[in-house]
Amino acid sequence: MTQTVVDSLLRGALVTLVVVAVAVLIAIPVALVAGLARLSRLRVVRLVAGAYVEVFRGTSALVQLFWAYFVLPEFGIVLPPLTVGCAVLGLNAGAYGAEIVRGAVNAVPRGQWEALQTLGIGRWQGMRWVVFPQAVPTMLPSAGNTLIDVLKASALVSLITVSDLTRAINQWATTGVLDLTLAYTLLLVGYFVMSMPMSGGMRLLERFYRRRLPSPHR
């Protein structure tokens, strides 16, 4: 491979990591808000949060990307491809994350809520200081899987002209500069290498929380 090809692939890998990082930064607060909103006592709040979750979980991420990139301009909303990719992947991951948050909070023993009521502690104060910290260790394994899913789904942004690793590989493979076997083996290895630090980081985070915070099953 020439230096030009190597530089192109490295730039593509960097764009991929940027897409993943920004999408995750969007997904985390969205997941927390939507997940807790689904537990709200207000029916309208639950319905709005539920509609968001079901729409993004019930439709393809690829179709969501195409809709945001090709349909929004029809309404006068024109966004750069990179912005569209980050936003759609973030909102998509946020929908799955919301269910992780909801499930983890619901897994906290009911006795915790009863104890908070006995002590006269408010619902959201109790959620913040007692219930949610206990739910975090339960969330982390599924959150780690969602993080890896975001990385894998980031390859879709190449279809809306974002110059990520997948698009760089495709360009060199289709022009014959790279052998097809070599090109797509490099792509496979590239995503695997990028996923390893993410998986390792999430495992470390899981161990950190399980050492310092009580599990809801203990």
Side-chain angles (χ1 to χ4, degrees):
M1 287 190 295
T2 66
Q3 188 62 43
T4 300
V5 174
V6 172
D7 290 343
S8 173
L9 298 185
L10 290 176
R11 285 194 300 271
L14 179 60
V15 171
T16 294
L17 292 174
V18 168
V19 169
V20 172
V22 175
V24 169
L25 289 175
I26 293 171
I28 290 173
V30 168
L32 291 174
V33 171
L36 295 177
R38 297 209 71 186
L39 299 170
S40 173
R41 291 175 176 174
L42 298 176
R43 179 177 173 81
V44 65
V45 173
R46 294 197 307 271
L47 287 175
V48 171
Y52 154 69
V53 169
E54 294 306 322
V55 167
F56 275 90
R57 290 202 313 157
T59 57
S60 164
L62 177 58
V63 174
Q64 293 164 17
L65 277 171
F66 282 170
W67 193 91
Y69 187 65
F70 294 111
V71 177
L72 284 182
E74 298 294 323
F75 298 95
I77 304 173
V78 180
L79 300 172
L82 185 60
T83 301
V84 171
C86 293
V88 169
L89 292 181
L91 292 172
N92 183 276
Y96 287 92
E99 288 299 278
I100 294 171
V101 171
R102 184 180 67 86
V105 170
N106 280 335
V108 174
R110 195 67 195 168
Q112 297 288 335
W113 289 107
E114 294 170 356
L116 291 171
Q117 291 175 350
T118 301
L119 294 171
I121 299 174
R123 178 177 174 84
W124 289 109
Q125 187 179 12
M127 173 71 76
R128 179 181 178 183
W129 296 110
V130 179
V131 175
F132 191 80
Q134 292 185 63
V136 169
T138 306
M139 297 177 198
L140 289 177
S142 297
N145 291 336
T146 302
L147 175 61
I148 299 303
D149 286 342
V150 172
L151 172 63
K152 293 187 291 187
S154 69
L156 297 175
V157 302
S158 66
L159 299 175
I160 57 170
T161 73
V162 176
S163 299
D164 69 331
L165 179 60
T166 299
R167 187 171 180 83
I169 287 284
N170 279 331
Q171 287 175 336
W172 294 117
T174 54
T175 56
V177 174
L178 287 179
D179 174 74
L180 286 176
T181 301
L182 174 61
Y184 292 111
T185 299
L186 285 174
L187 186 61
L188 189 71
V189 171
Y191 278 97
F192 178 74
V193 168
M194 286 188 285
S195 74
M196 292 307 292
M198 297 179 185
S199 299
M202 291 303 297
R203 285 194 295 269
L204 289 174
L205 195 58
E206 287 177 41
R207 287 200 290 268
F208 172 83
Y209 268 97
R210 292 194 183 281
R211 283 198 305 266
R212 288 163 174 78
L213 296 173
S215 166
H217 301 297
R218 290 178 183 172

